[in-house]
Amino acid sequence: MQTQCTWSCRHEVLGALRSKSSSLFASSRHLLRQYAAGSRSRRRRPPSFAAMSTVATEKEASPNQKESSGKPLQVAKRLEKFKTTIFTQMSMLAIKHGAINLGQGFPNFDGPEFVKEAAIQAIRDGKNQYARGYGIPDLNSAIAARFKKDSGLVVDPETEVTVTSGCTEAIAATILGLINPGDEVILFAPFYDSYEATLSMAGADIKCITLRPPDFAIPINELRSAISKKTRAILMNTPHNPTGKMFTREELNEIASLCIENDVLVFSDEVYDKLAFEMEHISVASLPGMYERTVTLNSLGKTFSLTGWKIGWAIAPPHLTWGVRQAHSFLTFATNTPGQWAAAAALRTPDSYYVELKRDYAAKKQILVEGLKEAGFKVFPSSGTYFVVVDHTPFGLENDIAFCEFLIKEVGVVAIPTSVFYLNPEEGKNIVRFTFCKDEGTLRSAVERMKAKLKKT
C-alpha cells in the first residue's frame, strides 16, 4: 500500500510537472511567433505609408484573426507600435508591379554545393532529432576555430559558444537574457529594425546616437554624453546595415574605453564580417579588456548565401553566456540539427572561399554603384555589407517612402526607405537603401530601368 501510494503521489507530481513544462514550452513558442512577426518591423511611419501598412496587415492576417464581429487584432502594448515589416510590404509591391527587388537583403542565387550536400548527408545519416540546446559539439568547435582565426581569441566551444536560430534569435536571446526592464541600451541609428522591437520586449530604455552622412562617423562626444549610470549595454553592428559603414579601429577604441570606464556591455552584431571591402574587420571583443564584457553575434546566412537556414551563434565569456542560454532555451531550445552539421562543414572551408566571395561581391557592388551614379543619385561610401545607401532628393519626392513607392510603380525597381531604421523617421527621409546581393544580370537590368526612367528635378 505504501508503495502504491508513493507511486501515485509521484505520478501526480510528474503529471503536474509535465503539464507545467508543456505550458511553458507553449508559451515560449507563442513568444517566438510574436517575436518573428514583429522583429523586422518599424516604430512609426509617415502618413503616406498608412495605406501600404493596412493592405499588408490585412493580407497577412489569418481568417481566424479577422472575426466577423469586427474585433481588432490583439497585440501586447510593448509591440503595438510595430506594424508589418517594411521588407514584407516592399516585396508584396514588387510582386504586384513586376519590379526588380533590390530591397530585401537575400541573394537570388544559391549557396555552395558542398554545404548543401553536407546538410543532405546529415539528413540521410539520421541526424534529424533535437540537437543539444546550445549546439552540436562539431559546430561549436568550428565556430570557436573560425573565431580564433579571425580575431586571435581562443574561446571554449563548450562554455562560450551558443548556437541559435539565426543571428536575429542570437540578438533576442542576448537582450532578453541580459537586459532588465529599465536598463538603458544605446543604439546607433540607422539600425537593423529588430533591435528596437526586441529591446521593447525586454522593457529597456533606448538611447540613440545618429550616424550621419556622408561617412556615418560615430560622434564620440555624443556617445560619451549619452552614457549614464543606468546604461547597461551598447548594441552595435559592423559592418553596418544599412549604411555599409565599417567602424574604424579608432572608433572601436573609443567605444572600448567608454565601456571599460563605465562598466558597460557590448552586443556586437558582425554578420557581415566577411563582406569587408575597403578595410579590415575588427571584432570589438578582441580589443584589450573587452572580451569579458562583449557578446559577439554572427551567422551563416550572409557569408554562405543561405539566409533561409537560420543558423546563428553568440560568443561570450561564461558569465554572459549563462544569460544568453537561459533565454535561448525558452525561445527555440535548439536549432535545426542537419543545418548545424552542414554549418560546421561550411565554417571549415578554406580561406580561398572568402577571397572569392569578396571578389564576386566587389564586382556586383561596382555595377550597382556606377549605375546609381549614372542614374542621378548621390551615392554614399560603403565599405562593407552588400548594401549601398543613396540620397534620393535629386528626384524631387517628398520623402524616402514616397520615393520608394514611385520607384516601384513607375520605374520597376525596389529599394528600402531608411526612415524605418531610425527612432525619429525624419532623420532618414532623404536616404534609401539598395542591395547588390543579386546576380549581375538582375543588377544590370535594374540599373538600366533607373537610368531610362528616372529624371532629376
Side-chain angles (χ1 to χ4, degrees):
M1 180 65 68
Q2 179 65 36
T3 302
Q4 289 178 340
C5 181
T6 302
W7 172 251
S8 176
C9 292
R10 287 176 179 171
H11 184 73
E12 291 177 8
V13 171
L14 287 171
L17 287 172
R18 288 192 188 101
S19 176
K20 185 174 182 181
S21 175
S22 176
S23 174
L24 181 57
F25 277 107
S27 298
S28 301
R29 292 190 184 102
H30 179 63
L31 175 60
L32 180 58
R33 285 195 293 271
Q34 281 189 324
Y35 168 72
S39 67
R40 296 180 180 274
S41 55
R42 59 166 298 175
R43 184 180 176 89
R44 313 177 192 86
R45 295 182 175 86
S48 64
F49 206 49
M52 287 174 59
S53 302
T54 302
V55 170
T57 303
E58 287 177 352
K59 287 188 177 181
E60 288 194 343
S62 63
N64 63 352
Q65 287 178 307
K66 293 162 53 179
E67 298 179 18
S68 58
S69 62
K71 291 182 180 179
L73 302 179
Q74 302 296 303
V75 65
K77 289 185 182 299
R78 62 183 174 270
L79 289 175
E80 64 185 1
K81 64 186 174 185
F82 301 101
K83 307 299 181 183
T84 306
T85 141
I86 186 66
F87 305 105
T88 296
Q89 294 173 35
M90 288 299 174
S91 293
M92 287 169 58
L93 281 179
I95 294 170
K96 179 179 179 181
H97 294 279
I100 298 173
N101 194 344
L102 301 188
Q104 195 165 1
F106 62 85
N108 68 342
F109 46 86
D110 215 353
E113 288 299 319
F114 81 93
V115 184
K116 293 187 291 182
E117 287 300 323
I120 293 168
Q121 190 61 50
I123 292 170
R124 288 174 174 159
D125 289 345
K127 297 170 180 175
N128 301 306
Q129 306 309 321
Y130 286 131
R132 186 176 64 173
Y134 57 91
I136 64 168
D138 196 45
L139 178 53
N140 288 57
S141 295
I143 291 168
R146 185 75 245 177
F147 194 56
K148 179 184 178 183
K149 184 174 288 188
D150 292 340
S151 69
L153 292 170
V154 177
V155 300
D156 183 349
E158 290 300 301
T159 62
E160 299 178 286
V161 177
T162 305
V163 175
T164 60
S165 296
C167 190
T168 301
E169 195 245 316
I171 293 163
T174 298
I175 291 171
L176 295 173
L178 296 172
I179 298 298
N180 291 307
D183 284 348
E184 286 181 354
V185 177
I186 294 174
L187 298 180
F188 295 105
F191 48 76
Y192 174 50
D193 53 0
S194 85
Y195 295 172
E196 185 193 1
T198 311
L199 288 168
S200 294
M201 285 192 280
D205 292 335
I206 300 172
K207 283 187 175 180
C208 213
I209 305 296
T210 300
L211 309 180
R212 294 178 173 83
D215 59 358
F216 299 97
I218 297 174
I220 295 298
N221 289 335
E222 287 185 39
L223 177 60
R224 184 177 291 109
S225 298
I227 294 177
S228 73
K229 292 181 179 180
K230 290 179 60 181
T231 303
R232 171 69 167 158
I234 295 173
L235 174 52
M236 54 177 274
N237 171 213
T238 183
H240 183 259
N241 174 18
T243 67
K245 170 196 169 52
M246 292 183 63
F247 288 23
T248 66
R249 184 174 292 276
E250 291 73 22
E251 288 173 327
L252 292 173
N253 281 332
E254 291 281 3
I255 291 171
S257 177
L258 290 170
C259 289
I260 293 169
E261 178 184 346
N262 295 280
D263 193 22
V264 172
L265 302 178
V266 171
F267 306 151
S268 184
D269 176 354
E270 301 179 12
V271 295
Y272 299 100
D273 63 334
K274 294 297 183 292
L275 295 175
F277 301 108
E278 296 172 13
M279 64 179 71
E280 176 192 6
H281 169 74
I282 302 167
S283 289
V284 68
S286 68
L287 300 181
M290 286 304 294
Y291 181 72
E292 65 188 44
R293 62 180 66 255
T294 301
V295 182
T296 303
L297 308 155
N298 212 320
S299 73
L300 188 80
K302 306 299 189 297
T303 305
F304 290 92
S305 303
L306 295 165
T307 59
W309 283 25
K310 302 300 290 180
I311 307 289
W313 53 86
I315 300 172
H319 67 280
L320 298 181
T321 291
W322 173 250
V324 175
R325 288 184 179 179
Q326 286 295 94
H328 164 69
S329 65
F330 295 110
L331 282 170
T332 60
F333 172 62
T335 296
N336 88 80
T337 303
Q340 288 195 54
W341 285 99
L347 290 177
R348 293 191 175 104
T349 191
D351 287 346
S352 58
Y353 171 83
Y354 302 108
V355 173
E356 181 61 29
L357 179 77
K358 284 204 284 189
R359 183 184 299 121
D360 180 56
Y361 269 120
K364 296 178 190 298
K365 177 185 174 183
Q366 185 176 7
I367 293 170
L368 180 60
V369 169
E370 290 182 357
L372 290 170
K373 289 179 179 177
E374 291 173 10
F377 290 98
K378 180 181 179 181
V379 182
F380 296 116
S382 172
S383 299
T385 75
Y386 43 50
F387 301 115
V388 174
V389 292
V390 303
D391 185 339
H392 68 82
T393 56
F395 303 101
L397 279 297
E398 60 180 326
N399 57 44
D400 58 326
I401 291 167
F403 177 79
C404 286
E405 290 178 323
F406 169 81
L407 192 67
I408 292 173
K409 295 174 183 177
E410 303 300 328
V411 181
V413 176
V414 181
I416 294 294
T418 65
S419 57
V420 302
F421 303 127
Y422 292 81
L423 287 184
N424 176 10
E426 284 292 305
E427 293 183 328
K429 69 178 183 178
N430 293 336
I431 304 172
V432 298
R433 188 195 80 178
F434 291 92
T435 183
F436 51 90
C437 60
K438 311 297 176 182
D439 63 77
E440 292 189 9
T442 298
L443 293 171
R444 293 186 192 281
S445 296
V447 164
E448 290 306 313
R449 288 188 183 188
M450 290 187 282
K451 286 162 61 176
K453 296 183 179 181
L454 282 175
K455 292 181 174 59
K456 292 191 287 185
T457 57

